[in-house]
C-alpha cells in the first residue's frame, strides 16, 4: 500500500487496473504530438531559418549566432531526411525536438532562436506551410484527373450511352458528355483548391504567443522569405485560426464526394449486367473462391475513403467549435485529421486517374442499352411539336400512348409500323423514324452544354484551353 502511493511512476491504485503506467507517463502520452507532427520537420526548419535570418537583419540577434543557428538547422534537416535523428516523446513536439537538438549541436546560441516567437505562431506557420504544399499537390493531381477525362471524352464524343435519372433510362447521351460532367465537377474542386491557396497565403510567424511582440521584428520580411503574400493582420486570430485546415478538409470532402459518385458509377458500369466498362487488371482483383470474378476493389475503396475524409472534417469542426480565443491545446488534434484526409484524397485521386485512363469502354453495350427503355420517347414528342404543331403537353400524351403500344407489343418505338403510329395520331409521317434512333437523338441536342457531339467537342476545347 505505502509502496503504491509513494511511487508516482508506477501503476496508480485508482486506475491501475487499466493503465500500466503512472500519471506522469499518461500526461506525456496525451500531451505529446511528436508521433505525428514530425511530418512538419521541413516546414519547421524552413520557418526557423527565416525567423533567425530576420532576427539578425533587425539586429535582435548577432550575425554569428544566426550563422550558427542556420548551419545547425541545416544539419538537423539532413539528419532527419537521412533517418539519423532520434525523436523523443519527452520533448513533446517537432518544435522542441528540433530546438533541443540545435542546442546539442551549437550550444548557447540555440537559445536565441526562440526570441520573439512562441510555439503558437510556430505551429500555425508550420501547418499552414504544409497545407499550402498539400493544396498545390492536390491541384496538380486534379489537373491530371481532368486530363484523363478530357482524353476519354474526346475519344468518345460520339459514343452513345443511356443517360439516367433515378438510375432509370432517361434519354440517350454520349459517353464523352458524361465524362465532361466529371471534368466540370473536378474543375470546380480545382478552383476551390486555388481559392484556398490564395486564402491561406498569409504568414502567421511573429504573432508570438497571441499578442505580438515588443522586439522590432519585420513580419513582412519573414512572410516574403517563406513565400507568403503578406503577414496576417491580427495576432490573436493568427494563433486561434485553423480555417485553412478546415477549408482543406471541406474541399477534400466535396472532391471525395465527387470521387465517390464516380466510383459508384464504375462499380455499376463494370457489372456483367451493365458491361459498359471493363477495368484493367491493374485496377481490379480476383475472388479467392469464385474464379469468374473481377472485382472493382479500387473503386469501392475510393467510395469508402470518402467516409474517412468526411469524418475528419466533422472531427476538426467539432474540435474547434467551442474554443475561446486564442490558442488551446485542443488545436493540436488538427494535424492527424488533415494528414489522414490528405493521404486518403491523394490515393483516391491517383486511383481514379488510373482507372479512368485504363478502363476499356464497351461502346456496343452502351449503344444497345441507350436504345432500350424507350429512351427516344422525348424525341418523338419533340417531333410532334415541331412537325405536327402539337402543344408539348398533347405531344407528351400521344407519345405516352405510343410507348404503351410498343410495350404491349414487346418492341421498340422505332419498330412500330407507321400504321400503328398514325392510328395514334394521323399527322405522323415516316419522317418520324429519323428522330427515333439514338444517334439522331443525341445529334439533335445542340443547345449550349447539350449532349450533341458538336457541343461536347466545344466543351472539350474550352477545358483544354482553360488548364
Ligand atoms: N504541439 C503543439 C500543437 O501542435 C504546439 C503548440 C504548443 N503550444 C503551447 N502553448 N503549448 O498545437
Amino acid at each position: 500500500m505505502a509502496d503504491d502511493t509513494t511511487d508516482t511512476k508506477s501503476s496508480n491504485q485508482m486506475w491501475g487496473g487499466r493503465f500500466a503506467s503512472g500519471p506522469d507517463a499518461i500526461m506525456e502520452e496525451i500531451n505529446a504530438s511528436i508521433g505525428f507532427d514530425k511530418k512538419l520537420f521541413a516546414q519547421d526548419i524552413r520557418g526557423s531559418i527565416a525567423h533567425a535570418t530576420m532576427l539578425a537583419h533587425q539586429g535582435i540577434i548577432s550575425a554569428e549566432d544566426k550563422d550558427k543557428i542556420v548551419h545547425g538547422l541545416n544539419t538537423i534537416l539532413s539528419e532527419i531526411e537521412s533517418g539519423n535523428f532520434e525523436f523523443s516523446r519527452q520533448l513533446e513536439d517537432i518544435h522542441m525536438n528540433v530546438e533541443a537538438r540545435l542546442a546539442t549541436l551549437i550550444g548557447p546560441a540555440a537559445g536565441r532562436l526562440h526570441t520573439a516567437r512562441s510555439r503558437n505562431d510556430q505551429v500555425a506557420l508550420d501547418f499552414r506551410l504544409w497545407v499550402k504544399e498539400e493544396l498545390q499537390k492536390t491541384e496538380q493531381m486534379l489537373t491530371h484527373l481532368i486530363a484523363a477525362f478530357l482524353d476519354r471524352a474526346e475519344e468518345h464524343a460520339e459514343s452513345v450511352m443511356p443517360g439516367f435519372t433515378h438510375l432509370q433510362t432517361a434519354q440517350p447521351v454520349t459517353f464523352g458528355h458524361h465524362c465532361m460532367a466529371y471534368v466540370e465537377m473536378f474543375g470546380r474542386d480545382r478552383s476551390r483548391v486555388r481559392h484556398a491557396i490564395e486564402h491561406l497565403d498569409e504568414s502567421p510567424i511573429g504573432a508570438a504567443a497571441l499578442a505580438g511582440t515588443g522586439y522590432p521584428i519585420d513580419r513582412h520580411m519573414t512572410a516574403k522569405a517563406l513565400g507568403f503574400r503578406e503577414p496576417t493582420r491580427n495576432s490573436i486570430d493568427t494563433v486561434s485560426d485553423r480555417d485553412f485546415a478546415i477549408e482543406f478538409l471541406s474541399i477534400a470532402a466535396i472532391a471525395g464526394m465527387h470521387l465517390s459518385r464516380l466510383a459508384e458509377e464504375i462499380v455499376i458500369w463494370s457489372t456483367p449486367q451493365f458491361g459498359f466498362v471493363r477495368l484493367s487488371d491493374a485496377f481490379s482483383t480476383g475472388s479467392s473462391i469464385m474464379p469468374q470474378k473481377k472485382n472493382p476493389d479500387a473503386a469501392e475503396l475510393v467510395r469508402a475513403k470518402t467516409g474517412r475524409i468526411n469524418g475528419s472534417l466533422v472531427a476538426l469542426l467539432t474540435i474547434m467549435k467551442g474554443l475561446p480565443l486564442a490558442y488551446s491545446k485542443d488545436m493540436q488534434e488538427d494535424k492527424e485529421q488533415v494528414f489522414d484526409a490528405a493521404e486518403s484524397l491523394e490515393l483516391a485521386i491517383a486511383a481514379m486517374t488510373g482507372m479512368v485512363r485504363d478502363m476499356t469502354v464497351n461502346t456496343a453495350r452502351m449503344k444497345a442499352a441507350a436504345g432500350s427503355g424507350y429512351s427516344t420517347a422525348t424525341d418523338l414528342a419533340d417531333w410532334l411539336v415541331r412537325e405536327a404543331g402539337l402543344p408539348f403537353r398533347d405531344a407528351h400524351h400521344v407519345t405516352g400512348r405510343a410507348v404503351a403500344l410498343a410495350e404491349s407489343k414487346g418492341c421498340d418505338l422505332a419498330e412500330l409500323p407507321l400504321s400503328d403510329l398514325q392510328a395514334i395520331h394521323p399527322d405522323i409521317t415516316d419522317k418520324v423514324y429519323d428522330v427515333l434512333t439514338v444517334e439522331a437523338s443525341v445529334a439533335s441536342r445542340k443547345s449550349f452544354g447539350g449532349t450533341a457531339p458538336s457541343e461536347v467537342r466545344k466543351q472539350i476545347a474550352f477545358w483544354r484551353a482553360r488548364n
Side-chain angles (χ1 to χ4, degrees), residues 33 37 92-93 95 119-120 123 242 327 329 331-332 334-335:
S33 53
D37 70 14
E92 262 187 67
D93 56 25
H95 324 297
R119 274 189 297 157
N120 296 351
V123 73
R242 290 296 180 274
Y327 177 87
K329 195 66 176 253
M331 291 161 73
Q332 176 166 286
D334 55 0
K335 289 164 214 68

Side-chain angles (χ1 to χ4, degrees), residues 195-258:
H195 189 247
I197 293 172
E198 267 187 42
H199 225 166
L200 66 60
D201 210 8
E202 297 174 352
S203 170
I205 194 75
L210 82 162
T213 175
Y215 294 98
I217 58 170
D218 183 348
R219 293 193 58 210
H220 293 272
M221 181 179 171
T222 38
K224 193 162 177 232
L226 293 165
F228 287 108
R229 190 179 55 232
E230 58 195 335
T232 54
R233 286 167 305 278
N234 181 300
S235 58
I236 298 175
D237 175 54
T238 301
V239 296
S240 313
D241 169 40
R242 290 296 180 274
D243 289 7
F244 60 94
I246 295 172
E247 276 188 30
F248 172 78
L249 291 172
S250 331
I251 292 168
I254 298 175
M257 175 270 291
H258 291 154

Side-chain angles (χ1 to χ4, degrees), residues 332-345:
Q332 176 166 286
E333 294 280 316
D334 55 0
K335 289 164 214 68
E336 284 165 293
Q337 301 304 332
V338 170
F339 292 158
D340 187 77
E343 195 180 318
S344 295
L345 184 65

